[in-house]
Amino acid sequence: VQIALTEDRSMTSIAREHNLSVNTVQRVLESCSSKFYDDLDQLPEHLAFDEFKGVGKKLHFICLDGDSHQ
């Protein structure tokens, strides 16, 4: 199930493929989501952000730590 969560698919289709409920798929996603997210409880001391026009003249936004550039 965890590998299927890395694909751009609905939780319903993953549940059907693995013969699980959608709630079970959600629980698995929540149990491993901490591996993919940084600690969002604090912001860096220096926050840098910018908006720019990208491919197709769509507006994009970038935000990063001004010290570490992450």
Side-chain angles (χ1 to χ4, degrees):
V1 175
Q2 290 178 349
I3 292 173
L5 290 171
T6 63
E7 301 169 358
D8 187 16
R9 298 174 43 201
S10 71
M11 285 191 265
T12 304
S13 70
I14 294 170
R16 285 184 188 144
E17 179 182 327
H18 294 279
N19 201 23
L20 300 168
S21 70
V22 174
N23 287 340
T24 300
V25 175
Q26 288 174 323
R27 276 195 304 275
V28 171
L29 178 61
E30 288 172 7
S31 73
C32 64
S33 65
S34 63
K35 298 175 187 174
F36 304 106
Y37 295 104
D38 292 331
D39 182 13
L40 301 177
D41 291 334
Q42 64 182 28
L43 291 173
E45 184 175 351
H46 299 103
L47 187 62
F49 55 93
D50 192 15
E51 295 174 289
F52 59 95
K53 288 188 180 176
V55 178
K57 297 188 178 183
K58 291 185 178 183
L59 193 60
H60 297 269
F61 174 80
I62 187 169
C63 181
L64 54 91
D65 182 329
D67 296 324
S68 69
H69 302 273
Q70 291 186 2

